[in-house]
Structure formats: structure tokens, C-alpha cells
């Protein structure tokens, strides 16, 4: 690995001059600057960003915490964050927490050791405050958080339930996400409101996780408990598809015997057949706007809007029956 001393030697200047050139601090003549830049290029030298941030007291690193990178929703969020911070000249340090509080704590220590400028987190764990670094929460948001970007989960729950109500449901079951995730409660509240107002009876099936590796096991347990279910409001697309797969294994037809609506609108939801009807939330935009919010806090010290709520939409595909009036 090339060192700054090697750059200084090739350019014929002092280490301090190289440092001033790279950090744009202090006077450096144009001819000297060109010598240093030429040496940097020839030696393929990359400055130590952590050291530079400590010297300048200004970091260009941002930490991102995700609860589960195997859930397709979160890579889309991460892509939005990455594009957003890169466009503002920052780099990203990723921590995949896997719903583990100890891993979350470990990643926060790593972020602190790397002198990051701020944290963007989709993990609903401890409120992150490290040396007064700003925090922006994504998706899994409580009302008391200072800065947050999320979609309208209450409206999403209502849309999902309304789609089912309009299609002659006989036995409705709502799959609810983990109790620790605030958005799960909001979706449930929205769905319950529509079903109660429509006088449609329903039952609630509590899931412990959104994690991919538990989806098939959960689907099996679901059908052991609800053998006569004909309409499902799923907690997310992953669990919706697991339920569809298990239903087909049991000889059920989609949507004739079982209709289902998911949540997220991940790409595989429209690529499979029958396609999954789902509530689309803008994962990429959640990440991108979260990045913009944090960068504005870092660079301007204030923002016009602390909480950003994005709309959701219903995507109709083959997993829902036709409306009664259309039949």
C-alpha cells in the first residue's frame, strides 16, 4: 500500500506539502500542486479517509444500519441511500444487524471508530446517539424520532383490506408483522378499521419476524391454524409468497380458493405467476430521501421538514379475485 511519504518523495516535496495539497489546507503553488497530483496518479495513492476526517474534523463517511439484507425490501432501500449519499460526496459503511441487538451495538462501535458523520438506520432498536452525530430513521419509525422517512403504513393497511373486502371474502386472516415494528401496528390498525366498518369478520395471525428464512415455516404453521382461510392480508411480500406456495402444495387454487395481498411490491412479486397483488411502498425513495435529509442536516444544520411520509399504492395482479360487480 502506497504511503504519503512515497508520494512526497516522488514529487520532491515534503509530507506536509502533500497533506496540504490533498486536504486543500494552506497555500500550495500551482506547479507544486501539479507535481503532487502527478505523483498521486502514478503511485495510485488513496488517502486514508478516516485519518483525513480526523485531521479536517469533517467526515465523509455515513453509517447505514439494516435489519436484514436478505429481505428484498432493504437492498432497495440501501440502493437509494447509496445513490443519495454518493451524489453529495459521501461514502457508505453498511451494517447488517439481522435483528440482533448485540450486532447493532457492535456496528455502532465500528461507526464511531471510523469517525462517521451520521447514521441512517432502518433498525428499530436503541435510539442511536453517538457523540451527538445526527440520526435519520427509515421505514421502522416511531412518532418521537426527530428525523425520519417512512411510507404511510396506516393507509397501506386500509388499501389492502379494502381490496379484499371488494372481492367476496368468506374467512379473512390478517398476518401481522413483529410487535416490535411500529409500522406493523399501523398496518393492522388500517386493515381493522376497513374490515370493521364493512362488517367483515376477521382473525389475526401474529408473526415473530419479517426474515426470509422463517417464511416457509411460518406459512406451514399458518395453514395448520387456519385450514379454511380464503383471504389473506399478508405482512409483506416474502410471507405472502410463502403462503401462496404452501397453499398450492395443499392443492388450493390462487385466487379461486385463496386470495392474498402482500406488502412492499418487490420485483419478484410481478415476475411470478400468478402475480402477487400488493401494497407498493417506495423503498428506493425512502432510502434516497433519507440520505438527502441526513446530508442536509450535516451541511446546512437544519431542514425544513423533519418527518417525511411517502404515499403507498395498490398493485392489482392475479392473486386477488375479480370484484363482485365485475363477475
Amino acid at each position: 500500500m502506497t504511503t504519503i511519504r512515497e508520494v512526497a518523495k516522488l514529487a520532491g516535496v515534503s509530507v506536509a506539502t502533500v497533506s496540504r495539497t490533498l486536504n486543500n489546507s494552506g497555500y500550495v503553488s500551482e506547479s507544486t500542486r501539479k507535481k503532487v497530483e502527478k505523483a498521486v496518479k502514478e503511485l495510485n495513492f488513496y488517502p486514508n479517509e478516516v485519518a483525513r476526517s480526523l485531521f479536517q474534523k469533517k467526515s465523509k463517511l455515513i453509517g447505514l444500519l439494516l435489519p436484514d439484507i436478505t429481505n428484498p425490501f432493504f437492498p432497495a432501500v440501501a440502493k437509494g441511500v447509496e445513490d443519495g449519499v454518493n451524489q453529495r460526496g459521501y461514502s457508505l459503511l453498511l451494517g447488517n444487524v439481522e435483528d440482533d441487538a448485540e450486532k447493532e451495538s457492535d456496528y455502532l462501535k465500528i461507526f464511531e471508530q471510523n469517525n462517521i458523520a451520521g447514521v441512517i438506520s432502518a433498525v428499530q432498536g436503541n435510539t442511536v446517539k453517538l457523540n451527538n452525530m445526527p440520526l435519520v430513521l427509515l421505514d421502522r419509525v416511531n412518532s418521537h424520532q426527530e428525523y425520519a422517512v417512512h411510507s404511510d403504513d396506516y393507509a397501506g393497511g386500509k388499501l389492502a383490506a379494502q381490496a379484499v373486502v371488494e372481492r367476496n371474502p368468506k374467512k379473512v386472516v390478517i398476518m401481522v408483522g413483529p410487535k416490535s415494528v411500529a409500522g406493523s401496528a399501523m398496518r393492522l390498525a388500517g386493515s381493522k378499521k376497513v374490515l370493521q366498518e364493512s362488517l367483515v369478520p376477521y382473525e389475526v395471525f401474529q408473526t415473530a419476524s419479517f426474515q426470509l428464512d422463517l417464511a416457509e415455516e411460518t406459512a406451514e404453521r399458518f395453514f395448520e391454524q387456519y385450514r379454511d382461510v380464503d383471504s389473506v392480508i399478508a405482512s409483506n411480500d416474502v410471507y405472502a409468497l410463502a403462503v401462496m406456495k404452501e397453499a398450492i402444495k395443499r392443492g388450493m387454487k390462487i385466487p379461486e380458493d385463496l386470495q392474498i395481498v402482500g406488502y412492499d411490491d418487490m420485483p419478484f412479486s410481478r415476475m411470478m405467476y400468478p402475480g402477487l397483488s400488493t401494497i407498493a411502498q417506495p423503498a428506493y425513495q425512502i432510502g434516497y430521501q433519507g440520505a438527502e435529509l441526513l446530508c442536509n442536516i450535516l451541511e446546512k444544520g437544519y431542514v425544513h421538514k423533519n418527518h417525511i411520509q411517502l404515499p403507498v399504492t395498490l398493485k392489482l395482479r392475479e392473486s386477488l379475485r375479480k370484484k363482485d360487480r365485475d363477475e
Side-chain angles (χ1 to χ4, degrees):
M1 182 176 177
T2 305
T3 67
I4 194 171
R5 293 185 181 278
E6 292 172 282
V7 173
K9 183 177 180 181
L10 182 60
V13 298
S14 68
V15 169
T17 299
V18 174
S19 179
R20 286 199 303 274
T21 303
L22 295 176
N23 292 304
N24 291 313
S25 60
Y27 173 75
V28 178
S29 69
E30 187 61 27
S31 60
T32 300
R33 181 176 296 278
K34 287 180 178 179
K35 288 180 184 178
V36 172
E37 290 173 350
K38 182 181 178 182
V40 166
K41 188 175 181 180
E42 285 184 21
L43 294 172
N44 197 29
F45 174 70
Y46 295 94
N48 184 317
E49 288 298 332
V50 175
R52 174 185 282 190
S53 69
L54 288 170
F55 174 77
Q56 295 181 330
K57 296 183 180 180
K58 185 178 181 182
S59 174
K60 302 299 284 185
L61 282 174
I62 286 174
L64 172 63
L65 289 177
L66 297 180
D68 179 19
I69 202 70
T70 64
N71 183 328
F73 176 75
F74 292 110
V77 171
K79 176 62 176 169
V81 173
E82 181 182 39
D83 288 351
V85 300
N86 287 171
Q87 287 174 18
R88 300 287 284 266
Y90 294 86
S91 296
L92 202 61
L93 197 58
L94 172 64
N96 179 33
V97 171
E98 297 181 312
D99 290 333
D100 185 327
E102 188 173 339
K103 286 190 73 173
E104 178 187 0
S105 179
D106 290 343
Y107 275 121
L108 293 176
K109 290 176 183 175
I110 292 170
F111 289 170
E112 188 172 28
Q113 290 164 359
N114 282 273
N115 194 40
I116 61 166
V119 176
I120 299 174
S121 176
V123 176
Q124 192 165 311
N126 298 320
T127 302
V128 183
K129 287 289 182 182
L130 295 176
N131 293 334
N132 296 315
M133 287 184 299
L135 164 71
V136 171
L137 284 179
L138 306 181
D139 183 50
R140 301 182 176 186
V141 173
N142 286 316
S143 59
H144 66 271
Q145 264 91 34
E146 188 174 4
Y147 301 107
V149 181
H150 60 102
S151 60
D152 191 343
D153 283 304
Y154 183 74
K158 291 178 67 176
L159 283 173
Q162 189 62 45
V164 168
V165 165
E166 292 172 349
R167 290 165 171 82
N168 191 30
K170 294 180 176 62
K171 183 175 178 62
V172 178
V173 178
I174 308 171
M175 295 184 77
V176 186
K179 292 180 179 179
S180 60
V181 177
S184 298
M186 295 303 295
R187 295 177 197 177
L188 176 61
S191 292
K192 287 172 67 174
K193 181 175 177 61
V194 170
L195 293 168
Q196 290 168 358
E197 289 180 347
S198 304
L199 302 179
V200 173
Y202 64 89
E203 294 189 53
V204 175
F205 177 79
Q206 181 69 55
T207 64
S209 172
F210 282 130
Q211 288 187 316
L212 180 65
D213 58 359
L214 296 176
E216 291 182 290
E217 175 190 326
T218 302
E220 290 178 7
R221 185 161 49 86
F222 176 83
F223 279 105
E224 289 170 4
Q225 186 170 341
Y226 300 105
R227 297 180 185 275
D228 58 343
V229 61
D230 89 309
S231 302
V232 177
I233 300 171
S235 52
N236 66 3
D237 285 357
V238 171
Y239 278 63
L241 293 177
V243 168
M244 286 175 66
K245 177 183 175 183
E246 183 64 24
I248 293 168
K249 281 170 60 179
R250 291 169 181 255
M252 301 174 74
K253 294 181 179 179
I254 308 291
E256 294 89 347
D257 300 327
L258 180 76
Q259 62 177 347
I260 186 165
V261 58
Y263 207 103
D264 286 339
D265 192 30
M266 294 296 94
F268 53 69
S269 301
R270 58 181 177 268
M271 293 174 64
M272 65 170 294
Y273 187 84
L276 176 65
S277 296
T278 187
I279 304 303
Q281 59 171 335
Y284 179 89
Q285 283 300 322
I286 289 173
Y288 188 87
Q289 293 203 31
E292 283 200 321
L293 181 59
L294 180 61
C295 291
N296 286 337
I297 295 167
L298 292 171
E299 295 169 7
K300 301 176 183 179
Y302 70 95
V303 291
H304 295 294
K305 193 173 183 181
N306 289 17
H307 274 243
I308 300 171
Q309 181 174 271
L310 302 177
V312 296
T313 56
L314 171 66
K315 298 291 183 180
L316 284 175
R317 301 189 182 104
E318 296 86 2
S319 70
L320 284 175
R321 296 190 281 266
K322 291 182 180 179
K323 290 184 181 180
D324 292 341
R325 63 174 177 269
D326 295 336
E327 294 179 339

